[in-house]
Amino acid sequence: MSPLLQVENISKSFVGIKALTDVSMIVKAGEIHALLGENGAGKSTLMKILCGVHRTDAGRILIEGQDCVFARYEDAVKAGVGIVFQEFSLIPYLNAVENIFLGRELRSAFGMLQRGCMRQRSRELLDRLGITIPLDEPVQNLSIAQQQFIEIAKALALDARILILDEPTATLTPTEAEHLFAIMRELRRQGVAMIFISHHLDEIFEICDRITVLRDGGFVGERAVGSTNIDELVEMMVGRKIEKSFPPKPLNPPRDEIALDVVELQLASGDPVNSFSLYKGEILGFAGLVGSGRTETALGIIGAIPTTRKKVRVHGKDAKLSSPSDALLQGIGLLPEDRKGEGLITSSSVRNNMTLNNLGKYKQLHFFIDRKAERDGALDMMKKVKLKANGPESRVDSLSGGNQQKIVIARWLNHHADILFFDEPTRGIDVGAKAEIYQLMRELTERGFSIVMISSELPEIVGMSDRVAVFKQGRIATILEPPQITPEDIMRYATAGETNHNAGIHHDFV
């Protein structure tokens, strides 16, 4: 395989802040090349330079040995560079064909749209990927995986020889991710070079050929997949060994007080009736396949979605949780799976995001907000969650995913919520930030907080949970306790449906 793309000594600064310093990388034709690094390591900046969104301050880009200067995105496209961003750039009310050819529609000599040609070309592109998608359906009605494949088809329609995939599996199920990998292997066979960015290191070893690691905007090293391991990559990324990603669990898990007692919960008529208890100071994992009802159960408890039957006690007292505001009054908070779309106002400041649901705490004269008290409160919360930011007025969208997640946690701590639902708490977060989130969660439980952790990552469930409720098709199949908290036991109940016959009896979960 010959070098198709060469990046030589690239440097880039923004308002005096170094984003990249002297970074080099070689990507060969027909190769899947991983680009690794913590959030803030410079991966996104480098990719935006490669696709013409940013211009370099120093260094050069060569494609097939020829110097390329990308002043804009269209220049990169003409050179054969395509990118699939983590956040899709599709128009939701347009169909697949219209999205694939958006801005470069095929027209006849008389300026008429050649809809038939575009449709045929779209079908050929999707056939090349080995997938079938309804071409006339608005993409907002398609699955996330189907939208992902349309993004790839859109890039290939530009005759991309170099394809950048930024966290493409972040929102895919394991089955969908395997389909994506099959497509990537076929593209590799066709000679397409791919740069693959992922925080899931197991994926790197499954699909990639070589790896380039960045740290703090600088080049750390390059490795062939077959000559390295996860421990070495983690040390290269974070600059230190992470001996244990998961903090130690308590030797004697708490059983003194029930913080949340879900006596019965039925989401819709005909659905299973579930029950469980959450002890004060514990982490209860919600495990199961995607679509098994984990998130829906949490949303039903806090009143975010309707239920047909619900009886809940909070700290021993009956609680009416008809809406999230009711849950908030009871000290129950949710860190949603989509932290950017549902958990944060990313264009606003750290301070605003930390205090927005408890502004009454800072009122003076019944009408005005004491801004000094609000700022001091935000500074205090920043210290408690070890937030890395220039100050409380920093914009949230300037921070890494791990720090954004800490802001959501801080908001609930500021509101004195002591029962927290964490839905996919480390999705899209690098390994170093994951370890910090895990440590923070364990520190919270040591202070008496109670956490329900919903996660699709088995190592996370096993490493963090004091007990695990395993879901299958909307039903809690069993609740596992140590030493039965193993990947094998979790998957057996999640897939084989071996149900604990006492699972429907509330007191057997106490």
Side-chain angles (χ1 to χ4, degrees):
M1 294 186 292
S2 59
L4 177 58
L5 170 70
Q6 292 172 267
V7 175
E8 294 185 353
N9 309 113
I10 293 290
S11 294
K12 179 66 179 178
S13 296
F14 296 98
V15 197
I17 298 174
K18 279 281 188 182
L20 293 172
T21 304
D22 205 27
V23 171
S24 298
M25 181 172 69
I26 291 176
V27 182
K28 300 176 182 179
E31 174 187 50
I32 301 177
H33 194 111
L35 182 64
L36 297 184
E38 291 188 276
N39 290 118
K43 304 186 303 296
S44 295
T45 300
L46 180 58
M47 293 306 98
K48 288 177 180 177
I49 287 172
L50 289 179
C51 67
V53 175
H54 295 324
R55 296 195 66 173
T56 65
D57 296 335
R60 60 180 188 158
I61 300 169
L62 297 92
I63 295 180
E64 292 186 326
Q66 299 297 312
D67 272 301
C68 296
V69 178
F70 301 149
R72 52 183 186 164
Y73 176 71
E74 289 77 9
D75 295 337
V77 169
K78 289 178 182 177
V81 180
I83 185 167
V84 178
F85 291 103
Q86 184 178 357
E87 309 216 350
F88 299 155
S89 56
L90 302 175
I91 308 298
Y93 53 84
L94 298 182
N95 63 31
V97 177
E98 292 164 336
N99 270 286
I100 289 172
F101 286 94
L102 185 65
R104 48 180 209 87
E105 293 81 2
L106 301 182
R107 297 181 181 274
S108 68
F110 301 101
M112 303 294 290
L113 284 175
Q114 295 181 308
R115 297 185 185 277
C117 291
M118 289 190 291
R119 187 181 182 86
Q120 177 61 30
R121 176 67 175 142
S122 297
R123 177 61 64 200
E124 291 171 357
L125 288 166
L126 295 173
D127 286 345
R128 180 182 174 188
L129 298 177
I131 57 175
T132 301
I133 290 176
L135 295 182
D136 298 317
E137 191 73 22
V139 298
Q140 63 189 357
N141 298 336
L142 303 179
S143 70
I144 294 296
Q146 289 174 317
Q147 293 180 36
Q148 181 86 73
F149 299 145
I150 291 173
E151 283 279 17
I152 295 173
K154 185 177 172 182
L156 293 178
L158 302 171
D159 296 322
R161 296 175 294 160
I162 301 164
L163 184 61
I164 301 168
L165 299 164
D166 188 3
E167 291 283 352
T169 62
T171 55
L172 301 185
T173 66
T175 301
E176 291 167 342
E178 282 301 322
H179 192 173
L180 173 63
F181 292 159
I183 290 171
M184 291 172 65
R185 292 185 184 102
E186 175 59 24
L187 292 175
R188 175 169 57 188
R189 191 188 65 79
Q190 296 172 13
V192 176
M194 283 162 278
I195 299 174
F196 180 70
I197 301 173
S198 176
H199 288 308
H200 297 286
L201 297 184
D202 55 332
E203 295 179 348
I204 303 302
F205 288 90
E206 180 176 351
I207 192 65
C208 295
D209 302 302
R210 287 187 304 133
I211 304 161
T212 292
V213 179
L214 303 183
R215 184 174 72 240
D216 298 329
F219 173 81
V220 176
E222 179 191 288
R223 297 288 187 274
V225 166
S227 64
T228 188
N229 55 55
I230 287 178
D231 289 339
E232 182 185 24
L233 294 178
V234 168
E235 187 172 356
M236 291 172 71
M237 283 191 287
V238 303
R240 65 188 187 279
K241 289 186 178 180
I242 298 181
E243 301 293 348
K244 294 181 179 179
S245 294
F246 304 110
K249 297 182 183 181
L251 295 177
N252 298 304
R255 292 288 192 275
D256 299 332
E257 180 184 336
I258 296 176
L260 178 67
D261 205 7
V262 179
V263 180
E264 61 176 5
L265 181 76
Q266 184 181 43
L267 298 179
S269 181
D271 284 353
V273 179
N274 285 316
S275 58
F276 68 90
S277 295
L278 172 67
Y279 291 103
K280 180 179 179 180
E282 83 162 336
I283 297 176
L284 174 64
F286 273 14
L289 303 180
V290 173
S292 60
R294 300 164 303 166
T295 296
E296 291 78 7
T297 296
L299 295 177
I301 291 169
I302 68 171
I305 61 174
T307 57
T308 55
R309 292 171 61 182
K310 180 163 70 174
K311 183 176 182 181
V312 178
R313 297 190 186 104
V314 178
H315 297 298
K317 296 181 180 179
D318 288 340
K320 183 181 180 182
L321 306 178
S322 301
S323 67
S325 58
D326 290 339
L328 187 61
L329 292 173
Q330 294 287 341
I332 302 174
L334 169 71
L335 284 80
E337 179 180 6
D338 180 8
R339 64 174 172 270
K340 288 185 178 179
E342 300 174 355
L344 294 164
I345 303 173
T346 56
S347 60
S348 191
S349 68
V350 170
R351 171 181 54 81
N352 284 338
N353 275 274
M354 284 185 173
T355 63
L356 63 84
N357 65 347
N358 198 19
L359 285 173
K361 183 177 179 179
Y362 307 105
K363 274 187 180 180
Q364 59 179 0
L365 302 177
H366 304 290
F367 298 104
F368 302 102
I369 301 298
D370 184 339
R371 294 300 180 189
K372 183 180 184 304
E374 184 190 15
R375 179 183 172 82
D376 290 345
L379 282 168
D380 182 53
M381 296 313 303
M382 288 174 67
K383 292 177 184 176
K384 285 182 178 178
V385 298
K386 300 180 178 65
L387 184 73
K388 296 173 184 174
N390 289 332
E393 302 309 316
S394 299
R395 276 178 58 121
V396 171
D397 54 12
S398 70
L399 304 180
S400 69
N403 282 304
Q404 289 179 359
Q405 191 71 298
K406 289 180 182 179
I407 293 171
V408 185
I409 296 172
R411 179 192 305 148
W412 295 120
L413 301 187
N414 188 48
H415 197 278
H416 304 299
D418 60 357
I419 298 171
L420 299 172
F421 286 86
F422 283 39
D423 195 354
E424 304 290 357
T426 63
R427 174 165 288 173
I429 293 175
D430 63 69
V431 289
K434 278 186 178 183
E436 292 179 358
I437 293 292
Y438 296 148
Q439 185 62 42
L440 178 58
M441 290 170 66
R442 191 52 74 183
E443 289 173 2
L444 290 175
T445 58
E446 289 171 355
R447 289 161 51 190
F449 289 78
S450 305
I451 296 173
V452 172
M453 182 184 71
I454 305 165
S455 177
S456 300
E457 296 189 25
L458 272 178
E460 189 167 86
I461 287 286
V462 173
M464 288 298 296
S465 303
D466 298 312
R467 293 184 301 144
V468 178
V470 185
F471 283 74
K472 184 178 188 298
Q473 296 178 342
R475 181 187 299 278
I476 296 177
T478 192
I479 291 187
L480 299 174
E481 303 208 22
Q484 283 75 40
I485 300 177
T486 66
E488 294 78 15
D489 280 322
I490 292 170
M491 289 307 298
R492 180 159 54 89
Y493 283 103
T495 59
E498 295 185 31
T499 303
N500 179 342
H501 293 292
N502 292 323
I505 303 174
H506 164 68
H507 295 290
D508 286 320
F509 288 107
V510 176

